[in-house]
Amino acid sequence: MEKPLLVFDDKGIYCAIADVYLDPWKPVDKAIISHGHADHSRLGHKKYITHHSNIPIIKHRLGDIEVSGKEWNETFTINGVKFSLHPAGHIIGSSQIRVEHKGEIWVFSGDYKDENDGLAVPFEPVKCHTFITECTFGLPAFKWQPQNEVFDEINSWWQQNREDGRTSVLFGYSLGKAQRLLKHLDSSIGKIYTHGAIENMTEVLRSQVDFPETTRITRDVKKDEIKGNMVIAPPSAHGSPWIKKMTPYVTGSASGWMTFRGARRRRAIDRGFVLSDHCDWQGLLKSIKATEAEKIICTHGYTDIFSRFLCEQGYDARTVETQFEGEMGELEVKVEN
């Protein structure tokens, strides 16, 4: 029996014919990287291949690495296996990885969303025989509002807080979510201040995106200057000594997990905004259908429930254990100043 084109081993997703890994979680000689989040791009590989717009991101995160960049839809061949990168719509520079050998086509989605956020190149379905999908929000309970409605809510919240004399502290992951928030905030309401981790990553991306002006919060910034304005911070800043400078403040969180009130309570958040850089239930189903794949492999999220549903719909679906973490994988492990 022939080995599958891609297999899952203890280091990651492996293409034995090309001797290449996709988003490996242990050090390897050659890695094709879908995007810059920590659970997909890790330190220690000898050579990295990724979309060119992701290079500044992973160099900022990983330091001095040997990395080459590819364009969308550019075919590159390794030992007779054809590879190409296609927009995933997840964050800036995020790719799906297409793998073809002797007429057999696999696509690894990485993380993806089907809504155009105005930042990432929008998701493009790629036809294949086997599709490796995330299912971070693979439950029918997850159904996203259009983002313009969510940002209307966020900006109205900020305006009200300003009128009440309180600072708005909005939590979002430093890579992806924070820049999406910045892009769509109404800066006519007030000034936008940023935590150091947010500002550092945004500086890396300013050459690719026109963001509004932001001010880094340092020791020199006075509490009175911040009052009534907007502060964007990573979730790890919540409850830290750093946030005391914002008093009096109101907290908000932008995440798909804000669908559940319990998640908001556990995080002690005043206001939750349901905004995710992953597909909701319908987005996953629609995207998978567009690939025309018969075989579906679910890697992270609500894998068991989602794959079971796919099987009931006639797909050959299964789950595989990986070290990808979906939206939880985007959490920073420490507070940077």
Side-chain angles (χ1 to χ4, degrees), residues 24-161:
W25 43 83
K26 288 184 181 177
V28 300
D29 287 343
K30 189 173 287 185
I32 303 176
I33 302 298
S34 68
H35 66 285
H37 281 140
D39 57 328
H40 289 261
S41 58
R42 303 182 188 233
L43 190 61
H45 312 315
K46 287 184 181 176
K47 293 182 179 179
Y48 296 74
I49 300 170
T50 193
H51 189 264
H52 68 81
S53 59
N54 188 39
I55 290 177
I57 295 170
I58 61 173
K59 278 194 166 184
H60 170 74
R61 285 196 53 249
L62 304 178
D64 185 19
I65 56 173
E66 185 179 335
V67 56
S68 59
K70 303 295 180 183
E71 296 287 349
W72 302 123
N73 304 303
E74 175 187 348
T75 299
F76 54 101
T77 303
I78 304 172
N79 198 28
V81 181
K82 294 178 181 177
F83 296 88
S84 55
L85 305 179
H86 304 265
H90 174 54
I91 61 170
I92 294 170
S94 61
S95 306
Q96 302 171 81
I97 303 169
R98 182 184 185 274
V99 186
E100 179 181 356
H101 183 66
K102 293 183 177 178
E104 184 181 358
I105 302 168
W106 290 52
V107 170
F108 168 53
S109 71
D111 288 328
Y112 65 104
K113 72 172 179 293
D114 62 337
E115 182 178 34
N116 182 356
D117 64 8
L119 285 173
V121 177
F123 174 82
E124 292 179 7
V126 181
K127 290 181 171 52
C128 57
H129 301 107
T130 302
F131 186 57
I132 303 172
T133 184
E134 62 138 313
C135 41
T136 302
F137 294 107
L139 287 180
F142 295 108
K143 181 174 171 55
W144 310 148
Q145 287 175 263
Q147 78 166 9
N148 62 304
E149 295 178 12
V150 179
F151 280 108
D152 284 347
E153 290 178 7
I154 291 173
N155 287 314
S156 295
W157 173 75
W158 178 14
Q159 180 67 54
Q160 185 60 56
N161 293 338

Side-chain angles (χ1 to χ4, degrees), residues 6 12 54 59 81 104 122 190 193 227 269 285 287-288 317 336:
L6 298 177
N54 188 39
K59 278 194 166 184
V81 181
E104 184 181 358
Y193 288 85
K227 189 176 179 182
I269 298 294
L285 295 177
S287 301
I288 289 168
E336 301 173 47

